[in-house]
Amino acid sequence: MSIMAPAAHRKLTGLVAATFTPLTNQGEINLSVIGPYIDYLTETQGVKSVFVNGTTGEGMSLSVEERKVLAEDWCLKGKGKLDQVIVHVGCTSLKDAQELARHAAQIGVDGISVIAPSFFKPQNAAELRSFLQEVAAAAPNVPFYYYHLPAFTGVNVTARDVLEGIETFIPSYRGVKFTGFDLTDMGQCVSCSRPDWVVLYGMDEQLLAGLVLGVDGAVGSTYNYVGRHMNELITAFENNNLIQARKIQFKLQELITFATKLGFNVGVNKRLMAELSGLHLGPPRLPLTPCAAVLAENLTEKFHSLFPSEQ
């Protein structure tokens, strides 16, 4: 079933788009959009790595089979165009997560990621590490990334504690996708990381703060449609042009703050991406509900007021 030949491990850096899952109006997976989606990311936004079946992709609302089909299609159509395809395989069921991890290895993904189970929750770092270890062992030769998202999982264990001695438990460990506001915890993850590990920040509105603390890259939903601007932010930071970097960061903060006051969730974000990219992404899957047309219009107008060159 190999679709992409396994490549030597490459350090995952820069922007990674957390991809939306295209659905038909009837709520079924719409693979016909994946090819144009990849072209939009790489050619318009300058983003060449993706994180598939995560929160933005409604992965926890998809069946195991649907997640496999999506992973395969992103790998197949991304070959030669995308630098890295990271697939989230986390589930509340250990067996399902292991099945997805084995499948990801078979199709040659560049990495797998796992979030903490959120119904029966691990009570401490040791329990969470044990769960992650069992999933990683199903694909021992695939780079492994822990997906830290306590606001959604309710697992309030610091990422730094999870990473304590993790290379002993998970030899394939290569990094953490840190999505949270605790900059102290994230900073400690950076501090304890080995040279071949990465810390990827998941709070788009605070990317600049993450760069100051030494993150290697970022995974986020907004990079689907503001990727080129955030690449400019990274370049400005690397050139010590903090005034320009802050200017770009403040614009994204204003957009997200505006959207949040209107009820910014994955469904709304998905509609905004569709409006800006022209891709038919379809509705979200229940329990998320479609974004109202007037809300989409307000968000689109706000976006263009902040990033007028996009019109």
Side-chain angles (χ1 to χ4, degrees), residues 2 6 31 46 77 95-96 112 132 154 159 174 214 223 234 283 311:
S2 180
L31 297 180
K77 293 173 181 172
K95 294 297 184 181
D96 286 349
I112 58 173
L132 300 176
R174 290 297 179 272
Y223 307 142
I234 293 172
Q311 297 188 70

Side-chain angles (χ1 to χ4, degrees), residues 59 62-69 91 96-97 99-100 103:
L62 304 174
S63 70
V64 168
E65 187 57 36
E66 286 175 324
R67 290 170 71 169
K68 286 182 179 180
V69 168
C91 298
D96 286 349
E99 182 179 344
L100 286 168
H103 173 264

Side-chain angles (χ1 to χ4, degrees), residues 20 24-25 39 84 93 135 147 190 230 237 259 274 282:
F20 297 93
T24 66
N25 291 334
D39 291 340
Q84 296 209 36
S93 162
V135 181
Y147 183 3
V190 174
M230 301 312 280
F237 173 78

Side-chain angles (χ1 to χ4, degrees), residues 196-210:
D196 58 330
W197 295 357
V198 297
V199 175
L200 305 168
Y201 198 25
M203 304 303 295
D204 308 14
E205 62 270 48
Q206 293 188 171
L207 174 58
L208 183 54

